[in-house]
Amino acid sequence: MAGSEHRSVYCFKEWMRLQAQDLDELLQALAQNTDNNKSEHVFPQLVEKSITHFQDYMDKRSNIYHGDASAYLGPRWCTSLENSSLWIGGCRPTSFIRLIYALVGLEVKSLIAELTQSSTSRNHVGQLSAIQLSMINNLHMKTVKEEDKMTSRLASLQEDITDQPISIVAKGSRQVGEPNGEVEHALDKHDASMADIIEEADKLRLRTLKELMNILTPVQAVDFLAASKKLHLCIHEWGKKRDHKHGRN
């Protein structure tokens, strides 16, 4: 296994281990949530811990993909199921918000219209106030616009692979795939541009999650993070089983 891939696999496995560890702590805190005074201190700490782990993971993998960006657009260390839903090297930032909507149990289009009154005693994600839902809806619309801009940029970068000088050199090559300094330079430049957009996508993922945590109460944030981590871990395990079923591992 190449050096960068070995580091990528280790980084990913460590991230999944932390996900499972954080999930256990979050679920334990929710199960023991009987002391309001205690939850005011413990829950914010758990949320901050999860955010810090996410930030650390973003930073560690950034040091790797800035030398091998293409590997992160279809990582071999992820399952086929996971790769089928990737957006620029990770989850869509709006997937955080769509999970909120799923937990609330309402259709996205009628979410704000159906709930018009706030509540003073909200605990779990499924019990959001109208004010919170309005703020989440605004965050959703803003994030979709940012995603669309990055998707367009990625499309342009993908189209660059058929532009000069790569296409011209390929056409004029005497042997398929023969070494060429001009092509290597162009591919290195292309990889660097891909790394930049992955980094921007990671920043959007982290920023969206932080803004969402600021909208939720500490108890709601812990409830959401537990659901999010459990979903991520489940998809990974389901993906491994499906890959094994189809002989892909």
Side-chain angles (χ1 to χ4, degrees), residues 211-226:
E211 290 187 40
L212 194 54
M213 294 300 95
N214 288 333
I215 295 172
L216 302 177
T217 67
V219 180
Q220 290 169 342
V222 167
D223 192 33
F224 167 80
L225 287 171

Side-chain angles (χ1 to χ4, degrees), residues 30-195:
L30 289 170
Q32 298 175 350
N33 182 29
T34 56
D35 186 345
N36 290 331
N37 186 44
K38 180 181 178 181
S39 66
E40 289 180 1
H41 296 89
V42 173
F43 280 53
Q45 292 175 2
L46 289 175
V47 172
E48 183 62 30
K49 184 177 182 180
S50 289
I51 295 295
T52 299
H53 283 165
F54 193 30
Q55 173 78 71
D56 289 345
Y57 173 59
M58 298 287 104
D59 292 341
K60 288 177 181 177
R61 76 187 211 134
S62 174
N63 292 329
I64 304 172
Y65 65 61
H66 271 286
D68 189 17
S70 58
Y72 276 79
L73 297 176
R76 287 188 284 180
W77 49 90
C78 288
T79 65
S80 300
L81 178 61
E82 290 169 300
N83 283 339
S84 69
S85 60
L86 286 184
W87 175 82
I88 314 184
C91 67
R92 280 186 174 273
T94 48
S95 66
F96 297 133
I97 301 168
R98 294 194 65 86
L99 178 57
I100 285 281
Y101 291 152
L103 295 174
V104 171
L106 296 173
E107 292 293 330
V108 174
K109 291 182 179 179
S110 62
L111 191 61
I112 303 302
E114 290 182 4
L115 298 178
T116 58
Q117 295 183 353
S118 62
S119 173
T120 57
S121 58
R122 300 293 180 181
N123 292 310
H124 300 296
V125 176
Q127 301 172 315
L128 296 173
S129 70
I131 294 175
Q132 287 176 307
L133 290 170
S134 179
M135 294 173 69
I136 291 171
N137 185 61
N138 291 336
L139 176 60
H140 189 193
M141 292 188 293
K142 181 181 73 172
T143 307
V144 166
K145 291 180 180 178
E146 294 187 67
E147 281 184 356
D148 288 346
K149 290 179 182 178
M150 289 190 191
T151 298
S152 295
R153 284 185 55 201
L154 178 62
S156 296
L157 286 175
Q158 290 171 330
E159 290 169 356
D160 286 348
I161 205 72
T162 59
D163 288 342
Q164 297 189 41
I166 298 174
S167 59
I168 302 302
V169 172
K171 185 178 185 300
S173 297
R174 290 174 296 178
Q175 181 179 349
V176 174
E178 66 179 333
N180 184 286
E182 189 177 11
V183 169
E184 283 300 312
H185 176 74
L187 291 177
D188 286 344
K189 184 178 179 181
H190 180 266
D191 195 74
S193 296
M194 284 292 189

Side-chain angles (χ1 to χ4, degrees), residues 1-16 57 61-62 64-65 68-83 86 89-90 198 232 235-237 239-240 243 248-249:
M1 185 183 295
S4 62
E5 184 173 349
H6 180 78
R7 288 186 293 137
S8 297
V9 171
Y10 178 82
C11 181
F12 178 74
K13 287 184 176 180
E14 177 66 10
W15 167 235
M16 297 303 287
Y57 173 59
R61 76 187 211 134
S62 174
I64 304 172
Y65 65 61
D68 189 17
S70 58
Y72 276 79
L73 297 176
R76 287 188 284 180
W77 49 90
C78 288
T79 65
S80 300
L81 178 61
E82 290 169 300
N83 283 339
L86 286 184
I198 294 175
H232 186 193
I235 289 176
H236 183 65
E237 292 303 316
K240 288 197 295 185
D243 280 349
R248 289 192 287 260
N249 59 355

